[in-house]
């Protein structure tokens, strides 16, 4: 059973150092979160797993790391300046702020219905205090700042609201240097910023977040088949990293709700504790972005097929995933509470035990080394083993408390293997390796430990 409520995940994340509220000592600031010692490892591992699957293991995708602050014309061309807006209403009584489309949705109404019947909004009251709401104002989600010392319109720049545009403006650079024939993709991971009106659900929706996006450039006419491939890829990637398939589903966007650039969009959704919600979006962006940037920059963003001599502006299929949202999904899906505990020792069997069944490839700590005594020679041997394994993986050394308690500490943070150094170890040069999920124990020679773990971890 995955976690059924967010409080448990938020509490575990804070208690064990995965995530802290941003600027915690000042009382936090607007839904920002800081990744703690274990969180940063988990996040790095998820990013690396995505990179391995999306770039490293493929011949048709290359990587990129573009600047966050881009030429302001980018956002004119992409349509973000004019259209990257959310409808905003304020409560006249309690002054709280809401997204009008969310309020309408909760009443089974839609923004489309509003166009046909503008008085519809008057039927909606403040969900917090029942107060009257203001008229709708469209609010641009891009964060503004200034480039250089002068704070005027000519120097206004924006923090990118999606990483995708950094890829489109580099299409010609990559086309001319990477020696790739179409179809090929450009992938990048990096920070994006959106001044969300209602961030929430922990790291699900924040104002500063990381995206992992890939723009796959293909010949017009092959885009629909390409779309099907990447749609399947999204589900398989999460399932391959252990997420239950029955907690994943596709949502096809109705034609009338598509973004201005999209011919088709399908979201991979996850069954979060509050309901199904978007995890990874796949959009057929057609040739919209390249044509817009060609128009605004005056540059040629077409592609010439050197075999057929055909020249065309490629179509683009875009699988776009939020890194923080992926981290949250893995945490929720891996979380399991066992009433009364799994161990049979009297000390533990009254407690609720938490096991984070993270896939070994993304687990923050791969193994913990636990000497059965705090004295030599066991501690010396255990420290040597820790140092050897640390050349390759993140490992922990722990000599504090009973071994049962130390196992449970590691189970709670998702460590796949615990290595116990016991009183036989100095003689037989072997250790006991305990598997987090099955709790089975195996005696392994110290000399063979690295090979043994490499095989089991797969990384
Ligand atoms: N380039 C297309 C694009 O940005 P999107 O659906 O707006 O599309 C892609 O975003 C993904 O980025 C989403 O599926 C989600 O995982 C993540 N994402 C979007 N807004 C987010 C936010 N405010 N906080 C965290 N993740 C977000």
């Amino acid at each position: 059973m995955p976690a059924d409520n967010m409080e448990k995940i938020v509490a575990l994340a804070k208690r064990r150092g995965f995530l802290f509220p941003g600027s915690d000592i000042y009382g936090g600031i607007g839904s920002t979160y800081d990744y703690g010692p274990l969180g940063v490892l988990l996040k790095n591992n998820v990013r690396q797993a995505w990179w391995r699957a999306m770039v490293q293991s493929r011949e048709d995708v290359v990587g990129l790391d573009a600047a966050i602050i881009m030429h302001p014309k980018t956002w004119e061309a992409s349509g973000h300046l004019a259209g990257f807006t959310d409808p905003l209403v304020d409560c006249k009584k309690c002054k709280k702020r809401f997204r009008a489309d969310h309020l309408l949705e909760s009443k089974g109404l839609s923004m489309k219905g509003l166009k046909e019947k503008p008085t519809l909004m008057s039927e909606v009251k403040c969900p917090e205090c029942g107060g009257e709401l203001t008229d709708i104002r469209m609010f641009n989600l891009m964060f503004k700042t200034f480039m250089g010392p002068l704070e005027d319109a000519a120097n206004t720049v924006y923090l990118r609201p999606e990483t995708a545009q950094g890829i489109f403006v580099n299409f010609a650079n990559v086309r001319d240097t990477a020696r790739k024939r179409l179809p090929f993709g450009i992938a990048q991971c990096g920070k994006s910023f959106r001044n969300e009106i209602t961030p929430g659900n922990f790291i699900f929706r924040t104002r500063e977040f990381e995206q992992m996006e890939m723009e796959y450039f293909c010949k017009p006419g092959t885009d629909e088949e390409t779309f099907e491939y990447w749609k399947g890829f999204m589900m398989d990637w999460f399932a391959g990293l252990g997420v239950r398939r029955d907690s994943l589903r596709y949502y096809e966007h109705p034609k009338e709700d598509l973004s201005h650039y999209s011919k088709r969009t399908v979201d991979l959704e996850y069954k979060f504790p509050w309901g199904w919600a978007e995890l990874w979006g796949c959009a057929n962006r057609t040739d919209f972005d390249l044509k817009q940037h060609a128009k605004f920059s005056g540059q040629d963003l077409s592609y010439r097929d050197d075999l057929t001599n055909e020249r065309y502006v490629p179509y683009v299929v875009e699988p776009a995933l939020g890194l923080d949202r992926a981290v949250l999904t893995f945490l929720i899906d891996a979380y399991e509470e066992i009433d009364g505990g799994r161990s049979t020792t009297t000390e533990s069997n009254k407690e609720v035990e938490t096991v984070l069944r993270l896939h070994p490839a993304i687990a923050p700590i791969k193994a913990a080394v636990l000497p059965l005594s705090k004295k030599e020679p066991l501690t010396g041997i255990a420290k040597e083993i820790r140092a050897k394994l640390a050349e390759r993986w993140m490992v922990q050394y722990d000599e504090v408390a009973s071994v049962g308690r130390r196992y449970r500490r590691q189970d709670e943070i998702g460590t796949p293997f615990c290595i116990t150094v016991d009183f036989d170890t100095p003689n037989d040069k072997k250790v006991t390796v305990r598997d987090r999920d099955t709790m089975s124990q195996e005696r392994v020679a110290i000399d063979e430990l690295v090979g043994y773990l490499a095989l089991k971890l797969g990384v």
Side-chain angles (χ1 to χ4, degrees), residues 266 320 353:
V266 172
E353 278 183 30

Side-chain angles (χ1 to χ4, degrees), residues 31 34 45 65 86 98 102 138 155 157 193-194 231 258 277 291 314-315 327 337 339 398 410 419 439-440 448 454:
S31 286
D34 297 340
N45 292 345
D65 187 7
D86 273 342
F98 306 95
H102 286 175
M138 292 315 277
N155 294 304
V157 289
F193 302 83
R194 296 181 189 179
K231 181 185 155 200
L258 291 175
K291 279 194 168 157
Y315 264 40
V327 167
E337 273 182 2
D339 255 338
D398 186 4
Q410 296 298 330
I419 296 158
M439 297 205 301
S440 65
E448 289 165 18

Side-chain angles (χ1 to χ4, degrees), residues 371 373 375-386 397 421:
S373 124
K375 295 196 185 119
E376 291 288 359
L378 268 52
T379 50
I381 299 172
K383 283 178 183 167
E384 260 177 48
I385 294 175
R386 190 215 69 84
Y397 171 89
V421 176

Side-chain angles (χ1 to χ4, degrees), residues 47 210 214:
R47 192 193 290 109
E210 257 179 89
M214 198 276 290

Side-chain angles (χ1 to χ4, degrees), residues 162 194 196 204-206 211 213 278-279 285 318 322:
E162 61 171 15
R194 296 181 189 179
E196 301 277 2
F204 177 81
R205 181 172 287 108
T206 49
Q211 286 187 309
E213 299 199 284
E278 176 185 348
L279 179 55
R285 295 183 77 125
E318 172 197 71

Side-chain angles (χ1 to χ4, degrees), residues 84 161-164 194 196 203-211 213 215 261 267 278-281 285 318 320-325:
F84 195 56
E162 61 171 15
T163 55
R194 296 181 189 179
E196 301 277 2
I203 52 169
F204 177 81
R205 181 172 287 108
T206 49
R207 296 188 171 110
E208 173 183 344
F209 54 99
E210 257 179 89
Q211 286 187 309
E213 299 199 284
E215 309 300 322
Y261 53 73
D267 291 341
E278 176 185 348
L279 179 55
W280 198 340
R285 295 183 77 125
E318 172 197 71
L321 172 63
L323 174 53
D324 312 81
R325 221 172 259 193

Side-chain angles (χ1 to χ4, degrees), residues 244-256:
R244 284 154 247 250
R245 277 191 193 264
D246 58 7
S247 296
L248 296 166
R249 72 173 188 192
Y250 292 117
Y251 168 73
E252 176 94 37
H253 285 228
K255 284 257 172 298
E256 61 274 19

